[in-house]
Amino acid sequence: MRPLRLDSLEIFEDVVRCGGFRAAALGRGVSSSAISQSISVLEEALGIRLLNRTTRSVAPTEAGEKLLERLRPALYDIRTAIDDLNQLRDRPSGTVRINAPGPAADHILCPLAFEFMKIYPDVNVEIVSDAAIIDIVEQGFDAGVRFGNQLAQDMIAMPLGPALRYAIVASPDYLRSRGRPGSPRDLLQHDCIRRRFPGGTMVTWKFEREGEEVEITPKGRLTLSSAHQERQAALAGSGIAHLFEDYVRDDVEQGRVIELLSDWKQKLPSWYLYYPSRRHTSAAVRAFLGYIRNQ
């Protein structure tokens, strides 16, 4: 019988929390085969199967559930004890993992993180761009970024960055060939560059002017999944794009695209950084949150 390795217990918890070997491996920066091997060694050391494996999923056995029930509080105490030692260090250390939609990561979170890391050289930062609504605790993130109206009630949230605004833009070549829309509803007669969320939902375009609200489902031949792709398509004359103005501010100033319907403003909630209210936060996370609050 092989000796029991304590780190394999933490790996076991990661696999169950992430729902599989691949996700756990990505979080740890190792291969799926290394994670699988660690679980096999653990099961051999304990003499009992802990996980039921299929081609599509991984789930704990009854024995695995019982072990997790006792294991999670113990691992929490160990992590807390280690973090308490970190409080004695001159500088915080550790890793901060944040999940954020691409636009928030590109224009707000990344610049803040770059400056934060200069101040705290012992802290690692991992930012994962993802527009899907997820459980950040279950997926192993310390914090997330979403619109204020998308936050769960048990989260602590703080505003992140200024108010948001969309810009409707198209290239001069496109407008010369297709004309310029005079109202949001005119967009239905144009080739609009559509966006599909990871979950499959198509993005609708919303407008507001002097109390009048208009919402359209854009039509067009091109459907994409990221703001960067939409900007490239607009620059290429492939249609009319609906983008956060941060993505196209320089393009508008340089005349590469023309902003349309600028008198129609979309009402948007602000980005918020949020984190669990009932979870121990590490020294690295506390340092990052403190830095954000002071911006």
Side-chain angles (χ1 to χ4, degrees):
M1 179 182 293
R2 296 189 184 185
L4 175 65
R5 290 174 54 96
L6 293 180
D7 63 335
S8 63
L9 294 172
E10 187 175 31
I11 291 172
F12 169 60
E13 184 203 29
D14 279 351
V15 170
V16 175
R17 173 173 50 79
C18 296
F21 295 145
R22 183 174 181 275
L26 287 173
R28 287 180 164 268
V30 299
S31 66
S32 297
S33 60
I35 295 293
S36 179
Q37 179 64 20
S38 294
I39 297 300
S40 296
V41 170
L42 176 62
E43 290 178 329
E44 182 180 339
L46 295 175
I48 193 169
R49 179 173 290 276
L50 300 174
L51 294 172
N52 288 319
R53 305 162 174 84
T54 70
T55 56
R56 294 187 177 181
S57 65
V58 173
T61 62
E62 181 180 357
E65 289 282 9
K66 288 185 177 181
L67 177 60
L68 276 174
E69 186 177 346
R70 298 292 298 273
L71 187 61
R72 281 171 172 149
L75 288 175
Y76 175 85
D77 289 341
I78 291 171
R79 290 166 183 150
T80 302
I82 292 173
D83 189 58
D84 287 343
L85 291 179
N86 283 335
Q87 306 309 309
L88 302 177
R89 293 167 54 93
D90 293 335
R91 298 181 298 193
S93 65
T95 299
V96 181
R97 297 189 73 232
I98 308 168
N99 182 284
D106 290 343
H107 299 291
I108 300 177
L109 196 57
C110 280
L112 288 172
F114 300 157
E115 293 303 315
F116 169 80
M117 294 175 70
K118 294 177 184 177
I119 300 172
Y120 296 95
D122 295 331
V123 176
N124 304 318
V125 177
E126 179 180 353
I127 298 173
V128 176
S129 294
D130 184 2
I133 303 299
I134 67 164
D135 184 329
I136 59 170
V137 176
E138 182 179 321
Q139 297 297 319
F141 291 97
D142 298 298
V145 177
R146 292 295 182 271
F147 286 133
N149 59 357
Q150 296 176 329
L151 303 182
Q153 293 183 351
D154 59 346
M155 294 290 169
I156 299 174
M158 64 180 77
L160 188 67
L164 302 170
R165 178 177 175 268
Y166 274 109
I168 305 298
V169 298
S171 72
D173 286 345
Y174 175 87
L175 295 176
R176 276 193 291 268
S177 64
R178 296 292 302 274
R180 186 169 182 148
S183 72
R185 292 184 178 87
D186 289 346
L187 292 169
L188 296 174
Q189 309 304 317
H190 281 264
D191 242 341
C192 294
I193 301 165
R194 306 190 303 166
R195 170 97 69 91
R196 189 186 299 277
F197 284 131
T201 304
M202 297 296 295
V203 176
T204 59
W205 297 5
K206 300 177 182 179
F207 303 88
E208 181 181 8
R209 185 179 70 177
E210 298 177 355
E212 180 184 2
E213 297 183 0
V214 177
E215 179 175 352
I216 69 167
T217 300
K219 299 178 181 179
R221 294 181 297 149
L222 183 61
T223 302
L224 302 171
S225 61
S226 78
H228 290 292
Q229 295 167 353
E230 287 185 63
R231 174 180 173 271
Q232 290 175 333
L235 291 171
S238 298
I240 296 177
H242 171 263
L243 291 161
F244 283 118
E245 61 182 2
D246 287 335
Y247 278 104
V248 291
R249 183 175 288 109
D250 290 343
D251 295 323
V252 171
E253 291 176 357
Q254 298 299 321
R256 292 187 288 265
V257 295
I258 296 172
E259 184 173 2
L260 309 170
L261 306 176
S262 58
D263 55 335
W264 287 89
K265 309 290 185 181
Q266 181 176 358
K267 184 185 296 184
L268 289 172
S270 297
W271 293 120
Y272 278 78
L273 180 78
Y274 68 99
Y275 57 97
S277 61
R278 300 177 182 177
R279 185 183 182 187
H280 177 78
T281 55
S282 68
V285 173
R286 286 197 296 273
F288 184 77
L289 295 175
Y291 176 80
I292 295 298
R293 288 190 187 97
N294 291 328
Q295 298 310 300

